[in-house]
Amino acid sequence: MLRRGILAVLSTAVLLAACAGAGTPKDANGNPLEALTITTASGEHRFMVEIADDEAERQRGLMFRDPLADDRGMLFQFPDVAERGFWMRNTPSPLDIIYIDPRGRIVSIAKNATPQSDTVIPSNGPASGVLELRAGRADEIGARAGDRVRHPFFAE
């Protein structure tokens, strides 16, 4: 009887532990997604983003990936503030590339970047973050240079 009670308690604990993380959004590899908001003249626009915060993740980016959903993106985080340049090598879907300063202000937006291209797309100003969205999303939400991106990576 005591043994059955212990088994029931252990089973419940395992079930609760499994359910605790069930509501957390995950990327294709099971890594957590983080909330990010872009505030434009048309309002607040929420996204769930994958984080690329080490050199290997930044190099891989969205290469060989299916198109992003409307509410998804990838946020590249850099340890310094510098002129940035991105390309689309091995990236099969067009993207909007949004360069962001350390305070979370949009520096520039490269719209509808050409898939599979090795042409470097410059930030045209110092940036510490880069957000990639499905091509056309920046226009759909009315994003412009100077708009605010909110995420814990950026100082307010």
Side-chain angles (χ1 to χ4, degrees):
M1 191 63 122
L2 180 59
R3 187 174 180 186
R4 249 189 247 156
I6 291 172
L7 286 175
V9 169
L10 288 175
S11 295
T12 301
V14 168
L15 182 61
L16 288 174
C19 290
T24 304
K26 306 258 192 275
D27 69 12
N29 297 318
N31 297 315
L33 294 168
E34 297 182 8
L36 176 143
T37 303
I38 302 173
T39 304
T40 71
S42 65
E44 288 192 354
H45 306 276
R46 291 177 173 76
F47 296 87
M48 296 302 292
V49 297
E50 299 176 44
I51 303 298
D53 60 358
D54 67 33
E55 194 56 33
E57 291 169 336
R58 287 190 292 263
Q59 288 293 325
R60 186 173 46 258
L62 292 171
M63 289 181 173
F64 309 108
R65 300 274 298 270
D66 290 333
L68 291 168
D70 288 353
D71 65 342
R72 296 287 192 254
M74 179 173 276
L75 177 63
F76 295 77
Q77 300 174 347
F78 293 90
D80 60 344
V81 181
E83 179 78 24
R84 303 280 175 217
F86 270 47
W87 60 17
M88 296 287 290
R89 178 180 292 162
N90 299 319
T91 306
S93 302
L95 298 171
D96 288 344
I97 301 172
I98 302 173
Y99 295 97
I100 309 162
D101 78 12
R103 297 171 319 157
R105 294 286 179 189
I106 295 176
V107 173
S108 65
I109 303 171
K111 298 176 184 177
N112 203 26
T114 304
Q116 309 292 354
S117 174
D118 286 345
T119 301
V120 175
I121 303 165
S123 61
N124 298 314
S128 61
V130 180
L131 176 63
E132 292 182 339
L133 301 175
R134 176 189 54 74
R137 283 301 283 153
D139 280 342
E140 291 168 8
I141 66 173
R144 303 215 182 324
D147 285 344
R148 166 72 87 190
V149 177
R150 284 192 163 67
H151 180 272
F153 178 69
F154 303 109
E156 299 237 8

